[in-house]
Structures are given as C-alpha cells and as structure tokens.
C-alpha cells in the first residue's frame, strides 16, 4: 500500500493557524511579512517531504518514484508565482498595510477615523492657487473674496485610535504662501505606510486666481474661475464650469472629464473615459486614449482629436456630437470635417462644408440639409454608404462599389456601369461640389432627400 503524504493536512493546519493569528494578533501579519518570508513555505515543505521519505525508508515501506508528484509541482509553481508577485509589489509598488479581520469581513486598511479640516489665509498679491491632495475630492469655488477658506474632512484608516491620531498629527492641512503662489497641502505622503489618509476639501477662493490641482485618486470640481485652470489627475473625475481662462487636463486614468462654459482653449491629454464638452468658445484639443463616450455641444471653436486609431477635426459645432467605441453621430457640424477611424458606424446630418471620411470598417450615412460648399470624399473598406442630397442639388459624383450594388435616385444624369462585381456610378447635375464615395465591400445608395 502506497504511504500517504502529510503535506495536505499540514497545509490546512497552516491556513487555519494564519486565520487564528488574524483573530488574536492582527498587527503581526502584514503584506511585507508575506512578501519577505514566503520562500520558507517551500523550505518547510521540502524538509517535511525529506523526513517523510526517510521515515518510510526506515520502515521499509514502498518509496514514491518521484519525490514530488505532478499535482504538488503545480502547487509549487502557483506558490512561486504568488510569492514573486507579492515581493515585486512590495518592492516596486505602493506599500500595503496589514489586514484586519472583524465582524464585517476583512479590512485591508483598518478602521476609518474622521477629523475635521479648516484653514483660512488672506491673499492679496497671490496669482495662483496650487492644490496638492493625493487622495480625496477637492471642490474649488471662485467668489468675490480676498481670503482662501478651506473646509472639509480627513479620513484615516488605522487599527486603533492612537494610530489614527498619530497619522493626523503628521498630516496637517497647510496653506502656505510662496511668492505669487498659495499652496494648499494635505501632506498625505507623510503618513506611516500602514495608515491610509484621504481628504475631502472645499475651497472658496478669489475668482481671478489661476488654479493648479494635482491628485492621484479623487474628483476635482472647479467652478467660477476667471484665471487659467490646470489639473493633473491620476484616477479621478474632473468637472469644470464657468471658467474664463484656458483649461489643461493631464490624465493618467480618469472616469469622466466635463467642461461647461469655458471662454478660452481646452486641452485634455492622456488616458480617460467619458468626455463631455459644452459651450466652449476656444479651441479644443484631445490627445491620448479615451475609451468612453464623447459628447460635445455648442463648440464655437475648432476641435482636434487624436485617440488611438481615431482622428477627428472640424471647424466648429453649433449642434451636437456623440462618439463611442462603435458609433459616431453629429448634427449641424461646420467643416472642413475630417474623420479617420478603424471601425465605426458614421451618421452625419446638416453639414455645410467639405467632408473627408476614411473608415476601415463601418456603415456611413450622410444627410446634408443643403448642398455643402466643399467637396465630399468618403471611403470605407467594409460597409454600406448612404448619401441623401437635396432634389435640386448641383454636384459632380463618382461612386465605386468594388463588391456591391449601387442605387441611384437621380435618374439618367448619373450613369451606372457594372464591371463584373464592380459597380460604378458617374455623372452630375450641374456645376457644384465634387463628391467621391467608395466602398470595397458594401452597397452605395444615392437618393433624393
């Protein structure tokens, strides 16, 4: 009879002992301890296995052909991957505090303790407000005031009140004037590694100040500012409203950026989610990777977008625009318009100037209410194209469907030629803009509106 190993029962005993240690002394077991001492699990395993094999040999019991079975080797690999991952995270990543187990489950950062925040300082010769809040929300409201007033709440997660009190003393709220800058600091970087500190603050400031705000996690709300606004966000939402100066937002990762009623240019860079723009009088520049929905309304200046494989440019947008990962719709857009994308369905209504579309995959629908002043140049690699033109429009058209049909509502003024699987439509109704449309795989419809 093959002898059975004690490794399985001993692993169960070890897991139970760790949970018991959590209950009795939650401060002893930490992420750092696990990251540093995990190789001892393999050492203990090997020692126990050697003792087992030696004991079986002394008793002259049959020995296993391999010291470690295939299943045990799989478990060894899993332990090594987890151990190396925790070691790398501990060495190169942010520090994580010990775990706490209580009646509500496992608390990774201890219990929350709240502390009120309040500070004020007169500012007469200051031109810029700098906010340094690594974790937490910040709301800035411009007003007709001559002082900076800060209120809010600090939340500290710790294992006991004394630890939270110590972290509170080490992370004071400061309002410091340096030259023409006034700096609001929450000093969260001074907290011990095993205590997590966040601060939700609201600031009332003179509306003529420039604003620079930085943070890793938390939302920024900035309202009623006449100066320039610059926000650097790690993982947050950014909402801006009634800004008279320029806006620049640098994103490392963001849920939503919303800008409403901005008098000058808006520039958004980096990685983000949803973008909402409304009533922007200056130029809009979007450069990075934006994976969510984009909604724009009433853009009085031009827009330039570069996001992954999508490029979009137009002169202004009196109407509205919506774009997500699969669709693009726009109404009342002023060109010249240029849109290039890999895979997207397009629908554009009421455009008045030249239009250039380059789509690798997707259907295209174009409905100008009146004949555009400029040319129309549209290509899709795979998809249908539908173009609706006014009945009395004057234009010169060239349409090509390499593998598809062409439908024509304008009669004999447009001549249809079939060349095998290729369909060509050529002709015109008079002197007017040049229209070129083509699809490799799909149909083309030219109809009267």
């Amino acid at each position: 009879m093959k002898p059975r190993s004690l490794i399985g029962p001993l692993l169960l005993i070890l897991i139970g002992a760790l949970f018991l240690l959590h209950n009795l002394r939650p401060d002893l077991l930490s992420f750092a301890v696990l990251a540093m001492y995990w190789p001892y699990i393999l050492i203990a395993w090997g020692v126990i296995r050697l003792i087992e094999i030696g004991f079986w040999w002394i008793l002259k019991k049959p020995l296993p052909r391999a010291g470690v079975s295939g299943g045990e080797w799989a478990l060894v690999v899993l332990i090594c991957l987890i151990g190396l991952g925790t070691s790398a995270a501990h060495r190169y990543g942010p520090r994580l505090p010990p775990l706490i187990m209580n009646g509500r489950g496992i608390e990774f950062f201890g219990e929350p303790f709240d502390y009120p925040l309040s500070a004020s300082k007169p500012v007469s010769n200051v031109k810029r407000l700098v906010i340094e809040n690594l974790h937490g929300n910040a709301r800035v409201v411009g007003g007709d005031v001559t002082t900076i007033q800060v209120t809010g709440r600090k939340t500290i997660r710790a294992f006991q009140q004394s630890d939270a009190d110590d972290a509170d003393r080490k992370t004071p709220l400061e309002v410091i004037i340096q030259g023409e800058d006034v700096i609001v600091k929450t000093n969260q970087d001074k907290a011990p590694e095993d205590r997590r500190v966040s601060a939700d603050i609201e600031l009332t400031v003179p509306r003529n100040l420039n604003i620079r705000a930085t943070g890793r996690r938390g939302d920024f709300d900035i309202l009623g500012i006449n100066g320039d606004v610059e926000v650097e966000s790690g993982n947050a939402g950014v909402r801006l409203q009634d800004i008279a100066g320029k806006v620049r937002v640098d994103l490392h990762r963001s849920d939503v950026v919303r800008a409403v009623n901005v008098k000058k240019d808006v520039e958004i860079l980096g990685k983000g989610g949803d973008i909402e723009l409304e009533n922007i009088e200056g130029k809009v520049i979007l450069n990075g990777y934006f994976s969510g929905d984009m909604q724009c309304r009433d853009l009085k200046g031009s827009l330039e977008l570069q996001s992954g494989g999508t490029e979009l440019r137009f002169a202004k947008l009196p109407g509205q625009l919506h774009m997500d990962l699969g669709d693009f719709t726009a109404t009342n857009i002023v060109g010249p318009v240029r849109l290039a994308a890999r895979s997207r369905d397009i629908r554009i209504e009421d455009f008045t100037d030249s239009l250039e579309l380059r789509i690798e995959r997707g259907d295209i629908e174009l409905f100008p209410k009146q004949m555009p002043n400029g040319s129309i140049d549209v290509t899709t690699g795979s998809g249908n194209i539908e173009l609706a033109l006014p009945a009395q429009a004057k234009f010169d058209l060239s349409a090509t469907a390499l593998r598809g049909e062409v439908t024509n509502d304008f009669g004999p003024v447009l001549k249809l030629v079939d060349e095998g699987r290729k369909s060509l439509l050529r002709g015109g109704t008079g002197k007017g803009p040049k229209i070129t449309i083509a699809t490799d795989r799909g149909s083309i419809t030219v109809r009267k509106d």
Side-chain angles (χ1 to χ4, degrees):
M1 179 177 178
K2 183 179 179 180
R4 298 187 174 224
S5 174
L6 298 176
I7 296 298
L10 288 176
L11 285 176
L12 291 177
I13 293 173
L14 176 62
I15 294 173
L18 291 176
F19 277 98
L20 179 62
L21 182 62
H22 269 303
N23 289 334
L24 299 178
R25 291 292 303 275
D27 56 314
L28 291 182
L29 186 61
S30 68
F31 186 81
V33 171
L34 178 62
M36 184 176 298
Y37 295 109
W38 70 269
Y40 280 105
I41 297 176
L42 300 179
I43 294 173
W45 187 343
V47 171
I48 294 172
R49 197 65 166 150
L50 284 174
I51 293 174
E52 282 183 335
I53 293 175
F55 185 69
W56 295 337
W57 180 76
I58 292 173
L59 297 179
K60 297 183 179 180
K61 292 185 177 182
L63 301 179
R65 294 183 179 180
V68 180
S69 66
E72 289 174 325
W73 275 119
L75 186 56
V76 168
V77 172
L78 179 62
I79 292 174
C80 290
L81 291 176
I82 295 175
L84 291 172
T86 55
S87 298
H90 177 69
R91 180 175 299 178
Y92 303 109
R95 303 299 186 189
L96 296 180
L99 307 178
I100 285 183
M101 293 185 64
N102 55 28
R104 297 188 302 272
I106 299 178
E107 291 283 351
F108 286 87
F109 298 99
E111 301 288 342
F113 299 91
D114 291 338
Y115 299 84
L117 295 175
S118 180
S120 64
K121 181 158 289 190
V123 287
S124 55
N125 298 322
V126 168
K127 294 184 178 180
R128 186 174 70 160
L129 168 67
V130 179
I131 303 171
E132 299 178 0
N133 189 31
L134 299 180
H135 297 277
N137 304 320
R139 177 181 172 87
V140 182
V141 180
D144 297 323
V145 297
T146 58
T147 63
I148 289 179
Q149 182 71 38
V150 185
T151 58
R153 180 187 65 184
K154 180 194 303 182
T155 300
I156 300 175
R157 286 190 171 270
F159 303 116
Q160 50 192 356
Q161 181 74 55
S162 60
D163 292 338
D165 293 341
D166 176 67
D168 178 50
R169 288 189 295 270
K170 292 179 178 178
T171 58
L173 173 66
E174 293 183 300
V175 181
I176 306 169
I177 295 180
Q178 292 183 355
E180 295 183 340
D181 290 347
V182 56
I183 304 173
V184 175
K185 301 177 64 176
T186 56
N187 289 302
Q188 296 167 1
D189 56 327
K190 297 181 181 179
E193 293 181 356
D194 61 346
R195 285 153 232 178
R196 182 177 179 180
V197 182
S198 64
D200 294 336
I201 56 177
E202 180 167 345
L203 301 90
T204 303
V205 304
R207 67 174 71 254
N208 290 326
L209 289 182
N210 299 319
I211 307 293
R212 173 173 171 76
T214 60
R216 293 180 185 170
R217 191 176 297 272
D219 294 344
F220 289 102
D221 290 85
I222 302 176
L223 303 89
I225 297 297
N226 291 339
D228 297 339
V229 174
E230 184 177 355
V231 177
E232 183 176 351
S233 170
N235 186 2
V238 180
R239 292 175 287 271
L240 311 172
Q241 184 171 342
D242 300 329
I243 308 297
K246 295 180 180 180
V247 168
R248 178 186 172 99
V249 180
D250 289 303
L251 306 170
H252 299 287
R253 187 170 66 249
S254 177
D255 294 331
V256 59
V257 176
R258 187 172 188 267
V260 179
N261 299 336
V262 180
K263 300 294 184 182
K264 294 186 179 179
D265 297 347
V266 174
E267 185 175 11
I268 303 175
L269 311 173
K271 295 182 179 180
D274 296 344
I275 303 291
E276 299 180 21
L277 305 172
E278 183 176 356
N279 191 23
I280 311 297
E281 297 190 15
K283 180 169 64 173
V284 175
I285 297 176
L286 307 172
N287 194 340
Y289 180 77
F290 307 101
S291 58
D293 293 353
M294 186 176 80
Q295 300 187 47
C296 302
R297 290 179 293 274
D298 192 17
L299 304 186
K300 298 177 176 60
S302 62
L303 180 142
E304 297 179 8
L305 164 70
Q306 184 70 52
S307 175
T310 301
E311 179 184 347
L312 172 64
R313 290 189 177 92
F314 56 78
K316 58 182 178 179
L317 181 71
Q320 59 184 356
L321 176 153
H322 175 264
M323 182 173 68
D324 57 28
L325 292 178
D327 296 285
F328 176 95
T329 60
T331 303
N332 193 9
I333 186 171
V334 178
V337 179
R338 185 181 191 279
L339 172 60
R342 292 172 182 165
S343 179
R344 204 178 298 272
D345 292 333
I346 310 295
R347 182 183 177 92
I348 303 178
E349 301 179 17
D350 193 15
F351 57 95
T352 57
D353 277 289
S354 63
L355 176 68
E356 180 184 354
L357 302 181
R358 294 287 182 268
I359 310 298
E360 293 182 12
R361 293 178 301 276
D363 296 335
I364 298 174
E365 299 176 337
L366 304 176
F367 303 99
K369 291 183 179 179
Q370 59 184 7
M371 200 61 207
N373 296 325
S375 62
I376 298 176
D377 189 357
V378 177
T379 300
T380 178
S382 177
N384 301 324
I385 301 176
E386 181 178 356
L387 175 63
L389 299 172
Q392 305 302 321
K394 305 297 183 183
F395 58 86
D396 179 18
L397 181 137
S398 173
T400 304
L402 294 182
R403 299 179 184 177
E405 298 179 349
V406 174
T407 302
N408 168 34
D409 283 356
F410 280 86
V413 294
L414 302 179
K415 295 182 180 180
L416 178 62
V417 179
D418 291 326
E419 297 180 356
R421 301 176 66 181
K422 181 191 299 186
S423 297
L424 306 176
L425 186 65
R426 302 286 188 269
T429 60
K431 186 176 181 181
K434 182 176 179 58
I435 301 175
T436 304
I437 52 179
T439 176
D440 292 343
R441 296 179 179 86
S443 62
I444 295 177
T445 300
V446 181
R447 64 177 179 84
K448 294 180 180 180
D449 191 5

